[in-house]
């Protein structure tokens, strides 16, 4: 991810960074050139890859490129004063390379709607099962915002209130933290809000939602090893993966973005059924 901030260090935009060869380890601005039609950034990953990102940052997958610059790690990188070249230094390969910069070669516009660029990186593409699920949930969010049990005629305008965005993302398998939701809220307000207005009054269309979803969701998703690592961080036994129940509940209610007792109850009911609660588990243990 690439995060843009304002002068107060408040995050105003989160965008999907280049996904070639791992996370970005170095990122530099390329000085403006009189003959260039656009500005860009140059980046390097920890190993092998160097590339360009076209400005402004939007998360569009067509706005970046990467190439194989070194066979192993990249220890250092710098840009010439005139913005024409980038120099990269390897490590164990004992080499320094010089690369010519041509930001205008990054052609984002291919004649299609920009939305298509974001849909391309969704699992299965436009015609895939997951894309159809996203569209279904987006329509349902519009219905939910108007009341699920209303008898009034519904109006589908192709937009949803921003208050529905976090629930919609959770339905699609991305569970943002409260901090991430605050960053998302500030980002949407700075782009679509009115001075002195309320973020609850902001409605976004499908393209804006897809930009948010692609830019904010985890790049590689959450798998079993991530969950196991999280339990180990909480104090689970490294060999068995087991964690003391009281320790787990205490950590959930006291550390980080803490959960209230009723929220823990809600999680238990979702996992174990409506007949199970935190108090019942405690009573069962005492018996």
């Amino acid at each position: 991810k690439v995060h843009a901030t304002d002068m107060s260090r408040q995050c105003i935009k989160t965008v999907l960074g280049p996904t070639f060869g791992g996370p970005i380890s170095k990122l530099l601005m390329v000085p403006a050139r009189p003959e260039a039609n656009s500005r860009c950034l140059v980046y390097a990953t920890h190993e092998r890859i160097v590339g360009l990102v076209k400005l402004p940052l939007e998360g569009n997958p067509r706005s970046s490129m990467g190439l194989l610059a070194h066979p192993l790690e990249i220890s250092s990188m710098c840009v010439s004063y005139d913005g024409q070249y980038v120099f990269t230094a390897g490590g164990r390969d004992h080499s320094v390379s010089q690369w010519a910069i041509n930001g205008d070669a990054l052609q984002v516009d291919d004649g299609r709607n920009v939305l298509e660029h974001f849909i391309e990186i969704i699992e299965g593409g436009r015609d895939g099962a997951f894309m159809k699920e996203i569209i279904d949930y987006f329509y349902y969010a519009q219905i939910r915002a108007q009341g699920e049990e209303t008898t009034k005629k519904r109006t589908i305008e192709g937009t949803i209130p921003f208050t529905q965005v976090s629930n919609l993302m959770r339905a699609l398998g991305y569970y943002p933290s409260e901090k991430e939701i605050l960053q998302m809220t500030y980002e949407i307000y700075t782009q679509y809000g009115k001075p002195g207005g309320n973020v609850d009054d902001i409605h976004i269309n499908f393209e804006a939602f897809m930009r948010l979803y692609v830019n904010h969701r985890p790049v590689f998703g959450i798998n079993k090893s991530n969950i196991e690592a999280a339990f180990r961080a909480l104090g689970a036994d490294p060999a068995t993966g087991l964690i003391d129940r009281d320790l787990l509940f205490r950590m959930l209610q006291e550390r980080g973005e803490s959960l209230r007792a009723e929220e823990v109850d809600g999680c238990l009911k979702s996992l174990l059924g409506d007949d199970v609660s935190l108090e019942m588990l405690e009573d069962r243990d005492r018996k």
Side-chain angles (χ1 to χ4, degrees), residues 1 13-16 56-61 108 113-119 121-122 169 184 187-188 191-192 204-217:
K1 303 294 182 182
K13 181 181 283 190
T14 298
V15 299
L16 178 67
L57 295 173
E58 294 180 343
N60 190 324
V108 177
N113 189 304
V114 174
L115 175 60
E116 297 296 328
H117 302 163
F118 289 90
I119 291 177
I121 60 176
I122 296 295
M169 290 195 173
M184 211 180 299
E187 177 179 336
I188 288 295
Q191 291 185 49
Y192 303 103
I204 63 174
N205 60 20
F206 187 67
E207 179 177 331
F209 171 73
M210 286 301 298
R211 286 174 179 264
L212 272 179
Y213 178 67
V214 169
N215 285 328
H216 283 266
R217 69 171 182 167

Side-chain angles (χ1 to χ4, degrees), residues 245-260:
R245 184 211 59 204
D246 293 336
L247 172 62
L248 174 62
F249 290 156
R250 186 171 68 253
M251 296 285 277
L252 291 175
Q253 295 180 70
E254 295 178 0
R255 299 292 183 89
E257 295 181 353
S258 58
L259 298 175
R260 300 188 301 274

Side-chain angles (χ1 to χ4, degrees), residues 5 11 19 40 49 54 78 100 117 125 133 153 155 157 165 189 193 205 264 274:
T5 63
C11 181
T19 55
C40 63
I49 305 299
K54 195 180 186 71
C78 66
H117 302 163
E133 189 175 351
K153 184 178 179 180
T155 303
E157 299 179 345
V165 169
Y189 181 76
N205 60 20
V264 176
D274 292 337

Side-chain angles (χ1 to χ4, degrees), residues 52-284:
L52 298 175
V53 182
K54 195 180 186 71
L55 294 176
L57 295 173
E58 294 180 343
N60 190 324
R62 288 184 57 85
S63 65
S64 62
M65 58 76 65
L67 56 82
L68 190 63
H70 291 269
L72 297 168
E73 67 271 9
I74 298 174
S75 61
S76 185
M77 178 180 72
C78 66
V79 180
S80 63
Y81 76 96
D82 56 3
Q84 293 192 56
Y85 303 101
V86 57
F87 299 88
T88 59
R92 285 172 288 173
D93 60 339
H94 304 291
S95 65
V96 174
S97 300
Q98 176 182 351
W99 308 91
I101 298 174
N102 182 9
D104 292 338
L106 284 172
Q107 296 295 327
V108 177
D109 186 7
D110 61 355
R112 297 180 298 163
N113 189 304
V114 174
L115 175 60
E116 297 296 328
H117 302 163
F118 289 90
I119 291 177
E120 278 183 348
I121 60 176
I122 296 295
E123 295 82 350
R126 170 170 284 282
D127 298 324
F130 188 50
M131 189 64 214
K132 294 177 181 177
E133 189 175 351
I134 293 175
I135 294 172
D136 288 343
Y137 275 120
F138 189 83
Y139 274 107
Y140 176 65
Q142 296 178 71
I143 294 172
R144 192 169 186 268
Q146 298 176 32
E148 295 175 278
E149 299 179 359
T150 183
T151 57
K152 297 179 180 179
K153 184 178 179 180
R154 300 185 185 277
T155 303
I156 304 300
E157 299 179 345
T159 63
I160 60 172
F162 179 72
T163 51
Q164 293 289 326
V165 169
S166 58
N167 290 330
L168 183 51
M169 290 195 173
R170 292 184 183 110
L172 296 172
Y174 165 43
Y175 301 90
S177 65
E178 293 301 317
K179 180 181 179 181
E180 290 172 325
I181 292 174
L182 286 175
Q183 291 178 341
M184 211 180 299
T185 301
Y186 191 79
E187 177 179 336
I188 288 295
Y189 181 76
T190 55
Q191 291 185 49
Y192 303 103
K194 299 178 181 178
N198 193 322
V199 72
D200 294 341
D201 299 327
I202 297 175
H203 285 64
I204 63 174
N205 60 20
F206 187 67
E207 179 177 331
F209 171 73
M210 286 301 298
R211 286 174 179 264
L212 272 179
Y213 178 67
V214 169
N215 285 328
H216 283 266
R217 69 171 182 167
V219 177
F220 303 110
I222 303 297
N223 54 37
K224 182 182 177 182
S225 62
N226 298 133
I227 297 173
E228 291 173 343
F231 270 86
R232 287 195 297 271
L234 289 173
D237 185 276
T240 65
L242 297 176
I243 185 171
D244 179 75
R245 184 211 59 204
D246 293 336
L247 172 62
L248 174 62
F249 290 156
R250 186 171 68 253
M251 296 285 277
L252 291 175
Q253 295 180 70
E254 295 178 0
R255 299 292 183 89
E257 295 181 353
S258 58
L259 298 175
R260 300 188 301 274
E262 56 268 26
E263 291 176 317
V264 176
D265 272 344
C267 294
L268 289 173
K269 289 176 180 177
S270 297
L271 292 170
L272 305 174
D274 292 337
D275 297 331
V276 177
S277 67
L278 178 59
E279 289 76 12
M280 290 176 63
L281 290 179
E282 292 174 345
D283 292 342
R284 186 184 303 171

